[in-house]
Amino acid sequence: EVQLVESGGGLVKPGESLRLSCEASGFPFSTYNMNWVRQSPSKGLESVAFISTSGDSIHYADSVKGRFTISRDNAKNSLYLQMNSLRAEDTAMYYCARDCMTTVTPYDLWGLGTLVTVSS
Amino acid sequence: DIQMTQSPSAMSASVGDRVTITCRASQGINKYLVWFQQKPGKGPKRLIYASSTLQSGVPSRFSGSGSGTEFTLTISSLQPEDFATYYCLQHNNYPWTFGQGTKVEIK
């Protein structure tokens, strides 16, 4: 089955760190660009980070630049998001999302998400 | 960043109704527009890309149109499984940005 499964979310205090993981299955992960997208009641859906197939092209939203790091391990079919210096406004559901490489269009497959809560 | 404005924010409709949702971009985005459907507890599901191309497996009652700054998503005959929240996304300029969503509820 083609799917993405996120993990690693939880409750942390402001200033702490968290590492999210996304495990892909059912498709050739190494041939797809990947993304993290988050969703909160206050800000809605927000593109957080992008990484190309080999990791040589990476983009971040201004709101997380310098604090979050996206990475991937193609041998493990896995995508990661290292989140440092977390703030209350980072509280959200975090989704892993795949880009469609044949049509060069974004987010054709999503996971169920993992919830991150930043609160003292 | 490009701002995407959806209207309406919410609507009530009956099974069988024709439903139209509009998405406006703060600047031209050609046809780099995607529509998603989201149900509670699930990640978004892509319905349409390139403004009007139906994603494989999506029912033909869904259609999209538009280019530049104004886009529409139409559901020709609303079905019970279509009650959900719909979002547009532009990917003409990074960062990609979403509309705020349109919740379609049962009348």
Side-chain angles (χ1 to χ4, degrees), chain A residues 43-66:
Chain A
K43 295 183 189 175
L45 285 160
E46 181 183 14
S47 301
V48 173
F50 160 92
I51 187 167
S52 61
T53 54
S54 62
D56 59 351
S57 180
I58 288 176
H59 301 296
Y60 296 101
D62 285 345
S63 57
V64 307
K65 208 171 289 184

Side-chain angles (χ1 to χ4, degrees), chain A residues 39 47 59 95 105-106 110, chain B residues 36 38 44 46 87 94 96 98:
Chain A
Q39 184 174 30
S47 301
H59 301 296
Y95 295 100
T105 53
W110 298 62
Chain B
F36 299 92
Q38 188 177 29
R46 198 167 83 166
Y87 296 92
Y94 207 79
W96 308 156
F98 291 86

Side-chain angles (χ1 to χ4, degrees), chain B:
Chain B
D1 297 0
I2 295 177
Q3 307 303 314
M4 304 300 292
T5 303
Q6 281 182 241
S7 59
S9 296
M11 63 183 300
S12 297
S14 301
V15 172
D17 283 354
R18 182 182 183 87
V19 168
T20 299
I21 298 168
T22 298
C23 184
R24 288 188 174 86
S26 60
Q27 64 188 75
I29 59 169
N30 299 295
K31 289 193 170 187
Y32 295 110
L33 193 285
V34 179
W35 289 100
F36 299 92
Q37 175 194 68
Q38 188 177 29
K39 296 182 179 179
K42 298 282 187 70
K45 172 188 174 183
R46 198 167 83 166
L47 299 176
I48 286 170
Y49 61 92
S51 176
S52 60
T53 303
L54 205 62
Q55 182 75 25
S56 175
V58 173
S60 59
R61 62 181 180 272
F62 290 93
S63 64
S65 65
S67 66
T69 61
E70 186 152 340
F71 302 84
T72 58
L73 172 70
T74 299
I75 309 172
S76 60
S77 178
L78 198 66
Q79 297 302 300
E81 59 269 31
D82 300 336
F83 291 96
T85 302
Y86 294 85
Y87 296 92
C88 61
L89 166 79
Q90 71 79 22
H91 62 105
N92 186 70
N93 289 80
Y94 207 79
W96 308 156
T97 46
F98 291 86
Q100 81 279 13
T102 296
K103 187 172 185 179
V104 178
E105 298 175 304
I106 302 172
K107 183 182 285 184

